[in-house]
Amino acid sequence: MCEVNKENFGILYQDIKQSIKNAKFVSIDLEFSALYPLKSHMPSLFDEASERYLKIRRNLEHVIPVQVGLTTFSFNPDSGSYLGTVYNFFIIPASFPTLQNVFCFQSETLEFLRFHGFDFNRLIYKGIPYMNTTQENELRKKLQNNEISEVMSNFKSELQNVFEEECEAINKWYGNAKEGDYISLDKIHDKYKSNIDIIYFLHKGFRAKFKNTWTRANNYEFILKKVSSEELKLLKKEKNLEEELLDELLGSQKYSGY
Amino acid sequence: MCEVNKENFGILYQDIKQSIKNAKFVSIDLEFSALYPLKSHMPSLFDEASERYLKIRRNLEHVIPVQVGLTTFSFNPDSGSYLGTVYNFFIIPASFPTLQNVFCFQSETLEFLRFHGFDFNRLIYKGIPYMNTTQENELRKKLQNNEISEVMSNFKSELQNVFEEECEAINKWYGNAKEGDYISLDKIHDKYKSNIDIIYFLHKGFRAKFKNTWTRANNYEFILKKVSSEELKLLKKEKNLEEELLDELLGSQKYSGY
């Protein structure tokens, strides 16, 4: 069994794709946060198929899958046997201002997951974030229209503090810095690297505040670099902060930093 | 800071009570699973106090506190200073057939808790269970009227399997057992001890199936004992399985087993 989380999804992605391609058949299994959270839509023995479908659907609108199991079965003609490869995905709704994801948990479901040793910290700390297509398109539009500002962040005061603090450090460095020089902002990396929201607004804030600079973050560091106007123009054309943010909120690990 | 969970609540209870009694003042702080899960009841700058109160109240009906912080401040007249003692309670709605606890989580809240290193496994595995008074009274009535059976359990098939398996072992032992003899059912203890639901139905099932027996469970074992009719009558009068179940679903650790 292979656990897939936000840290290794990018690395495993091609393998998983290939494994599906080679499969004769696949099976999918989901663990949910609740089954029938709506008292008004409980199943009944006397439901017709259409009624039951509607009830399940209405209930599922308030439920998230907390784990997706995918097993691909490939056939080995020499041995005449099937080989099953199991992937277990932890997934969790993306969090970003205006997304407003609300979902239900049921005590019985928690009890069931607990009984089977489910790791809730892995779900919440390492789960692959996702949005549905409607959310993705709406968020893209809002980002393009500059409708989302840092004051809408859940971490507003945290953001303000770290921004002001780091601006002081950057200011000291900026005067003597030459084109090509960069400064590594370790505190940001160490404390905030897994907070998509804070990291995005810091990129945006620094780039706006300091002329001819570019920021970049990856698993190892958060840096701010002094660049020429030409390089800046090129970078802006090549790398779109908002598209990279959307990729990240979709669990995509293809980028290597902004 | 002292963490209070379902394992040490019974031990710490008297200390906490005393600490509150000695305090000049106390402060209470809660972490919630969500803040405004209802889109239809979002706060507005133009709310009057009564409207805002109603909105908060409606929203809170769908929210659970995941951690309760209690600080008691006692005054030391010699040094003229206050001493704060901090207790941090993990609490979680009790799970039992017919309780139907459903509650919301919000992505932003999860993100906030994650950012502050909240331990979700400790909440769900070690949280102190609770019910409100209405739930407690309704459940008591249903238990008294024998309206809750093992077929309503979330762990129906698990229960059936373990019951049949252990009955076989008990049957073998029962024939030659004398009054006062007991058998320790280690598998039940090892695998199910933290599942209130399964343990309750096993107590009930064994006591009904095997004449003149009594069951008892604690942190160390689950045993079934052969007793005389007189002793059985006395035990039944002294120890009420349903009241002890309710105690456990309320996080009370005062009993030392059934």
Side-chain angles (χ1 to χ4, degrees), chain B residues 53-99:
Chain B
Y53 172 77
L54 195 74
K55 284 181 174 180
I56 292 175
R57 209 192 127 169
R58 281 276 150 79
N59 273 287
L60 274 177
E61 286 166 3
H62 303 270
V63 166
I64 55 162
V66 292
Q67 203 170 43
V68 178
L70 168 74
T71 309
T72 60
F73 292 90
S74 62
F75 185 66
N76 182 338
D78 296 333
S79 62
S81 64
Y82 284 93
L83 176 73
T85 309
V86 182
Y87 298 101
N88 228 332
F89 299 77
F90 283 110
I91 60 173
I92 188 98
S95 171
F96 197 75
T98 76
L99 277 183

Side-chain angles (χ1 to χ4, degrees), chain A residues 37 39 42 92-95 100-115 117-121 124-125 154-155 158 191-192 194-196 198, chain B residues 37 39 42 92-95 100-115 117-121 124-125 154-155 158 191-192 194-196 198:
Chain A
K39 281 177 195 157
M42 291 296 273
I92 189 99
S95 171
Q100 293 186 311
N101 280 310
V102 175
F103 40 88
C104 293
F105 270 90
Q106 223 171 330
S107 292
E108 293 100 305
T109 322
L110 285 185
E111 179 75 16
F112 177 84
L113 293 169
R114 168 170 54 195
F115 182 71
F118 188 83
D119 191 330
F120 294 91
N121 282 340
I124 290 156
Y125 283 86
N154 216 359
F155 300 92
E158 190 83 33
K191 197 160 171 196
Y192 305 108
S194 48
N195 189 302
I196 299 178
I198 293 182
Chain B
K39 281 178 195 160
M42 292 295 274
I92 188 98
S95 171
Q100 293 185 309
N101 280 310
V102 175
F103 40 88
C104 292
F105 270 90
Q106 223 172 328
S107 293
E108 292 101 305
T109 320
L110 285 185
E111 180 75 17
F112 177 83
L113 292 170
R114 169 169 55 197
F115 183 72
F118 188 83
D119 191 330
F120 294 91
N121 284 340
I124 291 156
Y125 283 86
N154 216 358
F155 300 92
E158 191 82 32
K191 199 162 170 196
Y192 305 108
S194 50
N195 188 300
I196 298 178
I198 292 182

Side-chain angles (χ1 to χ4, degrees), chain A:
Chain A
M1 204 206 68
C2 176
E3 182 189 306
V4 190
N5 56 46
K6 72 174 175 186
E7 283 171 3
N8 65 8
F9 184 39
I11 301 162
L12 292 170
Y13 183 71
Q14 289 302 334
D15 281 359
I16 299 168
K17 224 169 130 181
Q18 198 55 46
S19 188
I20 296 172
K21 237 179 181 165
N22 295 344
K24 288 282 179 205
F25 60 98
V26 303
S27 76
I28 294 173
D29 170 44
L30 293 100
E31 297 298 335
F32 289 107
S33 63
L35 285 180
Y36 291 101
L38 301 180
K39 281 177 195 157
S40 55
H41 289 73
M42 291 296 273
S44 152
L45 284 177
F46 310 118
D47 286 339
E48 288 180 25
S50 60
E51 278 174 287
R52 180 65 66 93
Y53 171 77
L54 195 74
K55 283 181 175 180
I56 292 176
R57 210 191 126 170
R58 281 278 152 77
N59 273 288
L60 274 177
E61 286 166 3
H62 302 270
V63 167
I64 56 161
V66 292
Q67 201 171 43
V68 178
L70 169 74
T71 309
T72 60
F73 293 91
S74 63
F75 185 67
N76 182 338
D78 297 332
S79 62
S81 64
Y82 285 93
L83 177 72
T85 310
V86 182
Y87 297 101
N88 229 333
F89 299 77
F90 283 109
I91 60 174
I92 189 99
S95 171
F96 197 75
T98 77
L99 277 183
Q100 293 186 311
N101 280 310
V102 175
F103 40 88
C104 293
F105 270 90
Q106 223 171 330
S107 292
E108 293 100 305
T109 322
L110 285 185
E111 179 75 16
F112 177 84
L113 293 169
R114 168 170 54 195
F115 182 71
H116 291 286
F118 188 83
D119 191 330
F120 294 91
N121 282 340
R122 276 198 103 64
L123 166 68
I124 290 156
Y125 283 86
K126 307 276 179 208
I128 304 164
Y130 64 91
M131 300 183 280
N132 62 33
T133 315
T134 314
Q135 287 180 314
E136 182 189 346
N137 292 338
E138 278 178 7
L139 187 57
R140 178 173 285 111
K141 215 156 68 199
K142 281 181 190 149
L143 288 166
Q144 281 165 352
N145 298 339
N146 219 5
E147 287 169 31
I148 300 183
S149 101
E150 64 286 351
V151 296
M152 294 151 88
S153 167
N154 216 359
F155 300 92
K156 210 163 43 187
S157 65
E158 190 83 33
L159 243 171
Q160 194 172 358
N161 290 343
V162 66
F163 185 72
E164 283 173 9
E165 205 176 288
E166 296 293 330
C167 277
E168 230 185 278
I170 297 169
N171 258 328
K172 274 188 201 152
W173 163 87
Y174 189 85
N176 296 319
K178 293 183 294 292
E179 276 172 20
D181 284 358
Y182 66 89
I183 179 171
S184 182
L185 306 171
D186 294 340
K187 191 190 160 184
I188 293 177
H189 172 73
D190 296 346
K191 197 160 171 196
Y192 305 108
K193 72 165 177 289
S194 48
N195 189 302
I196 299 178
D197 171 334
I198 293 182
I199 292 291
Y200 167 73
F201 289 117
L202 288 178
H203 276 296
K204 218 179 145 191
F206 292 143
R207 290 185 192 178
K209 191 172 168 81
F210 296 99
K211 231 188 125 178
N212 283 352
T213 60
W214 193 253
T215 51
R216 192 164 57 81
N218 58 29
N219 275 336
Y220 312 104
E221 54 183 1
F222 186 109
I223 67 160
L224 181 135
K225 189 179 171 187
K226 206 162 183 179
V227 294
S228 68
S229 309
E230 291 72 38
E231 198 181 346
L232 186 64
K233 224 182 275 172
L234 214 67
L235 280 165
K236 275 186 180 167
K237 220 162 130 186
E238 259 177 20
K239 291 178 184 274
N240 183 304
L241 188 59
E242 279 67 34
E243 282 304 319
E244 288 176 320
L245 167 71
L246 288 164
D247 273 351
E248 203 161 358
L249 290 172
L250 284 163
S252 167
Q253 302 283 310
K254 65 181 184 221
Y255 62 91
S256 63
Y258 291 101

Side-chain angles (χ1 to χ4, degrees), chain B residues 5-72:
Chain B
N5 57 46
K6 70 174 174 185
E7 284 171 2
N8 65 8
F9 184 39
I11 302 162
L12 292 169
Y13 183 71
Q14 289 302 334
D15 281 0
I16 299 168
K17 225 169 128 180
Q18 199 54 46
S19 189
I20 295 172
K21 236 178 181 168
N22 295 344
K24 288 282 179 206
F25 59 97
V26 303
S27 76
I28 293 173
D29 170 43
L30 292 99
E31 297 299 334
F32 289 107
S33 63
L35 284 180
Y36 291 101
L38 301 179
K39 281 178 195 160
S40 54
H41 288 72
M42 292 295 274
S44 152
L45 283 177
F46 310 120
D47 286 338
E48 288 180 24
S50 60
E51 278 175 287
R52 180 65 67 91
Y53 172 77
L54 195 74
K55 284 181 174 180
I56 292 175
R57 209 192 127 169
R58 281 276 150 79
N59 273 287
L60 274 177
E61 286 166 3
H62 303 270
V63 166
I64 55 162
V66 292
Q67 203 170 43
V68 178
L70 168 74
T71 309
T72 60

